């Protein structure tokens, strides 16, 4: 599927949209650069484009904000799309007196349709979540890194249509609910029992929802506290490291921590390796393994006889005892008896078990010296950390830093982090005293009550089938999202390495948001320009192998980005999208707009206000000559439209 934008127009709306039209259909080049100064309606235009594509509703405040100051009581916005080979005109009419709106869709071929009614599959594809990805706004760049927003996951689900799986779950639940209502109508005499079981089920469901909300809240707070701890540690380290005074003991303490950590890792790995073999944990385990091996040996397993031998014998003229096998009943008896013996694959398996038992029966005791060495390495590491801490305190104090206040804040944050960790452990515990305090126990209680409720509703069999279907769909959804995340992460990092050259900025993980390596999601550790570059790399990776081709519309695509990154972005975006519509300002020429002057597949449009009219001029000469100031704008060259 290919979707392109041919034109849009507005009439009777505020500002520049009182009478405005952009037409790209005459020379439908893949890239359109539209230069518009502030105040000519860029933000409003992009918002209307997004809503016209997805069919979003308008609230009364939005409708009021679109009304022209001295205009009529009505207005419209009209968008023309090319859906593969068919055209679709989406018109939004506004009644400012009654603060209402009305969608109309005109298909060629297909005729007029009331409402936002694009043909399938476009009507399902172009929903709000997906449209926000390709009709891009700057807020999305920050939202993609915000764990509370779930934008990264929503972007993946929207583009790869994973919502279809969720829709199947909703349909199954709806089927169950219909049967429940039908049974209630037929068997009303059980209403009291059903009401009681439903109330009990709802109580458990509400409790589980509260526990999950509480866990999410605590988890977010812990992430924030841990981020503050990490930042505080960086501040202390930076103050200590940037103290210009020579301090041999400080450098020695840092080296000692590295040495102690390496030794501790070595001792820990050595002892942990022994714990991977159960026979090393207690002599009785080794003895029982040895006894098991001896019993298999005594039984002469796997033994010399196998099914294959009986198959061979049944093909002979005589049995090994000399009896003729011409009578088929003897051959059949041989083949029937072979099932009592082992097959070749079972021989191999038993031999492998015997070998494992023989090797495993040999215990290697964990020596007291090994445990002692591990304890000593742990103590040495703690001592090294303490010495480094004292050396840091001394240097920070010498550099004028308030280390006492920093350490007190560190202690306070550490205490809060531990408290949050304990709270999370309780919520995740399987050993809580009350199911109302534990998410796993509450989940099981809800399942039990859900079953009881469906027993009372005479829908248990349907409920069991719906539950199985939902579990299967959840497994498919989880596995799919995991694979897609990994693929998108790799693609995004490949692109970032070619976009951002000043520092090594990579995606460490994708869950509900993009996690950048070494950067907390709660802190502004990346610039606005870097955030925008990360968003471009992520979105282009998403769209790169999609089964449909969409336009990409963006306002000020390079405004906050540095010159070098602008050049990389200007090369990346045209490769990923079949149509680029970019609203640019004169300040974005250097490094970004200039890169497009080398191409012959670009349309240039320049828009500005002249008195009460909006002028639109096409052509590169006018585009390059355009400049704006407090008194307005002037253009030389080009064709007015």
């Amino acid at each position: 599927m290919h979707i392109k934008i041919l034109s849009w127009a507005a009439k009777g709306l505020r500002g520049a949209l009182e009478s405005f039209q952009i037409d790209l259909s005459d020379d439908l080049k893949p890239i359109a650069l539209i230069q518009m100064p502030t105040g000519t309606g860029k933000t409003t235009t992009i918002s209307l484009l997004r809503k016209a594509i997805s069919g979003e509703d308008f609230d009364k405040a939005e409708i009021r904000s679109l009304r022209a100051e001295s205009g009529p009581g009505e207005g419209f916005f009209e968008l023309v799309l090319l859906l593969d080979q068919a055209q679709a005109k989406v018109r939004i009419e506004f009644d400012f007196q009654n603060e209402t709106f009305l969608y109309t869709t005109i298909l060629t071929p297909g005729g007029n349709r009331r409402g936002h009614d694009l043909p399938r599959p476009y009507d399902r594809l172009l929903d709000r979540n997906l449209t926000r990805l390709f009709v891009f706004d700057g807020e999305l760049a920050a939202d993609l890194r915000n764990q509370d927003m779930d934008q990264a996951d929503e972007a993946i689900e929207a583009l790869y249509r994973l919502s279809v799986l969720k829709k199947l779950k909703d349909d199954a639940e709806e089927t169950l609910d219909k049967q429940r209502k039908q049974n209630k109508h037929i068997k009303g005499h059980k209403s009291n029992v059903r009401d009681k079981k439903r109330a009990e089920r709802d109580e458990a469901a509400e409790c589980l929802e509260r526990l999950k909300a509480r866990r999410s809240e605590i988890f977010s707070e812990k992430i924030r506290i841990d981020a503050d701890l990490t930042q505080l540690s960086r501040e202390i380290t930076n103050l200590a490291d940037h103290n210009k005074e020579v301090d041999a003991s400080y450098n020695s303490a840092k080296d000692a921590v590295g040495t102690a950590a390496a030794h501790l890792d070595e001792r820990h790995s050595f002892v942990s390796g022994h714990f991977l073999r159960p026979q090393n944990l207690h002599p009785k385990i080794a003895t029982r393994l040895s006894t098991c091996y001896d019993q298999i040996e005594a039984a002469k397993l796997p033994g010399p006889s196998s099914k294959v031998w009986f198959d061979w014998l049944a093909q002979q003229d005589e049995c090994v005892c000399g009896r003729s096998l011409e009578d088929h009943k003897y051959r059949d008896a041989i083949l029937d008896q072979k099932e009592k013996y082992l097959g070749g694959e079972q021989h191999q398996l038993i031999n492998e078990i015997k070998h494992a038992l023989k090797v495993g029966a040999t215990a290697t005791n964990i020596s007291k010296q090994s445990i002692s060495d591990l304890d000593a390495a742990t103590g040495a590491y703690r001592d090294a950390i303490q010495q480094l801490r004292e050396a840091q305190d001394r240097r920070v104090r010498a550099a004028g830093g308030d280390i006492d206040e920093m350490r007190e804040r560190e202690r306070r944050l550490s205490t809060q982090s531990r408290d949050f960790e304990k709270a999370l452990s309780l919520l995740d515990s399987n050993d809580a005293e009350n199911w109302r305090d534990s998410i796993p126990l509450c989940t099981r209680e809800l399942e039990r009550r859900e079953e009881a409720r469906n027993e009372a509703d005479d829908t248990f069999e349907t409920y069991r089938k719906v539950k199985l279907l939902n579990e299967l769909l959840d497994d498919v959804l989880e596995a799919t999202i995991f694979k897609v995340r990994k693929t998108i992460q790799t693609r995004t990092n490949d692109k970032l390495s070619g976009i951002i050259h000043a520092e090594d900025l990579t995606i460490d993980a994708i869950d509900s948001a993009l996690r950048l390596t070494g950067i907390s999601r709660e802190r502004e550790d990346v610039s606005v320009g870097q955030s925008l570059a990360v968003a471009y790399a992520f979105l282009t990776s998403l769209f790169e192998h999609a089964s449909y081709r969409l336009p990409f519309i963006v306002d000020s695509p390079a405004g906050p980005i540095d010159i070098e990154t602008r050049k990389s972005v200007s090369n990346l975006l045209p490769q990923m999208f079949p149509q680029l519509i970019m609203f640019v300002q004169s300040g974005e020429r250097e490094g970004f707009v200039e890169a497009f002057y080398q191409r012959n597949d670009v349309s240039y449009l320049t828009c500005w206000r002249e008195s009460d009219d909006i002028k639109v001029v096409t052509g590169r000469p006018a585009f390059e000559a355009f400049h704006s100031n407090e008194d307005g704008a002037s253009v030389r060259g080009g064709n007015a439209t």
Side-chain angles (χ1 to χ4, degrees), residues 88-295:
K89 180 185 293 184
V90 177
R91 184 181 178 94
I92 315 173
E93 297 179 350
F94 298 98
D95 181 343
F96 297 116
Q97 299 293 335
N98 298 308
E99 296 182 344
T100 60
F101 68 95
L102 175 65
Y103 275 102
T104 304
T105 307
I106 304 173
L107 302 179
T108 308
N112 293 12
R113 301 184 181 185
R114 186 179 180 86
H116 189 275
D117 192 9
L118 298 178
R120 290 190 176 182
Y122 305 100
D123 58 338
R124 298 180 177 180
L125 173 66
L126 299 175
D127 61 14
R128 178 185 181 279
N129 289 333
L130 180 62
T131 303
R132 192 189 177 198
L133 300 181
F134 65 86
V135 185
F136 183 80
D137 61 37
E139 291 182 2
L140 180 60
D143 291 348
L144 287 171
R145 294 186 296 107
N146 188 335
Q147 291 291 129
D148 296 330
M149 298 292 289
D150 293 332
Q151 287 297 319
D153 257 357
E154 288 183 7
I156 291 173
E157 290 182 14
L159 189 65
Y160 288 89
R161 308 302 296 158
L162 300 183
S163 57
V164 173
L165 297 179
K166 294 183 176 180
K167 179 64 167 55
L168 289 175
K169 293 177 63 176
D170 293 339
D171 291 344
E173 292 290 347
E174 185 178 345
T175 299
L176 176 60
D177 191 55
K178 285 181 179 178
Q179 183 178 345
R180 186 177 290 123
K181 291 178 179 177
Q182 183 179 6
N183 290 352
K184 181 179 179 180
H185 178 71
I186 296 173
K187 303 177 181 181
H189 62 281
K190 290 185 178 180
S191 60
N192 291 336
V193 176
R194 283 198 298 267
D195 290 346
K196 178 183 177 182
K197 296 301 181 182
R198 184 178 65 250
E200 291 175 347
R201 179 265 176 202
D202 291 346
E203 178 196 13
E206 291 169 3
C207 180
L208 182 60
E209 186 176 345
R210 287 195 302 271
L211 290 174
K212 288 182 176 180
R214 177 61 179 157
R215 192 192 188 285
S216 178
E217 179 184 347
I218 293 174
F219 181 77
S220 297
E221 282 298 302
K222 187 177 185 304
I223 290 292
R224 182 182 62 80
I225 292 296
D226 289 346
D228 288 342
L229 266 173
T230 301
Q231 181 64 18
L232 181 58
S233 178
R234 287 176 183 165
E235 292 175 8
I236 293 173
T237 301
N238 289 338
L239 280 172
D241 287 345
H242 288 83
N243 189 332
K244 298 183 183 301
E245 294 182 9
V246 177
D247 189 342
S249 63
Y250 176 61
N251 294 329
S252 176
K254 289 200 294 184
D255 293 340
V257 169
T259 302
H263 185 60
L264 177 59
D265 287 342
E266 178 187 348
R267 291 289 86 202
H268 182 268
S269 297
F270 179 79
V271 174
S272 298
H274 285 74
F275 280 94
L276 295 176
R277 306 180 74 235
Q279 60 270 31
N280 294 340
L281 301 180
H282 197 282
K284 286 186 177 181
I285 297 178
T287 300
R288 294 182 67 179
L289 291 174
S290 180
T291 301
C292 183
Y293 173 79
D294 292 340
Q295 289 174 343

Side-chain angles (χ1 to χ4, degrees), residues 606-626:
T606 307
C607 310
W608 79 98
R609 181 189 292 274
E610 189 172 288
S611 299
D612 293 331
D613 296 329
I614 295 295
K615 300 293 185 181
V616 180
V617 175
T618 61
R620 178 176 159 186
F623 188 91
E624 291 190 67
F626 180 83

Side-chain angles (χ1 to χ4, degrees), residues 311-322:
D311 287 332
W312 170 82
L313 180 60
Q315 301 300 320
Q316 307 308 308
D317 294 332
E318 292 183 348
C319 179
V320 291
C321 66

Side-chain angles (χ1 to χ4, degrees), residues 236 239-240 243 245-253 386-401 403 407:
I236 293 173
L239 280 172
N243 189 332
E245 294 182 9
V246 177
D247 189 342
S249 63
Y250 176 61
N251 294 329
S252 176
Q386 182 59 33
Q387 290 175 12
L388 177 60
R389 181 186 180 95
E390 292 171 357
Q392 282 182 329
D393 290 359
R394 183 175 62 253
R395 289 178 64 81
V396 170
R397 193 173 286 111
I403 188 62
R407 291 302 186 193

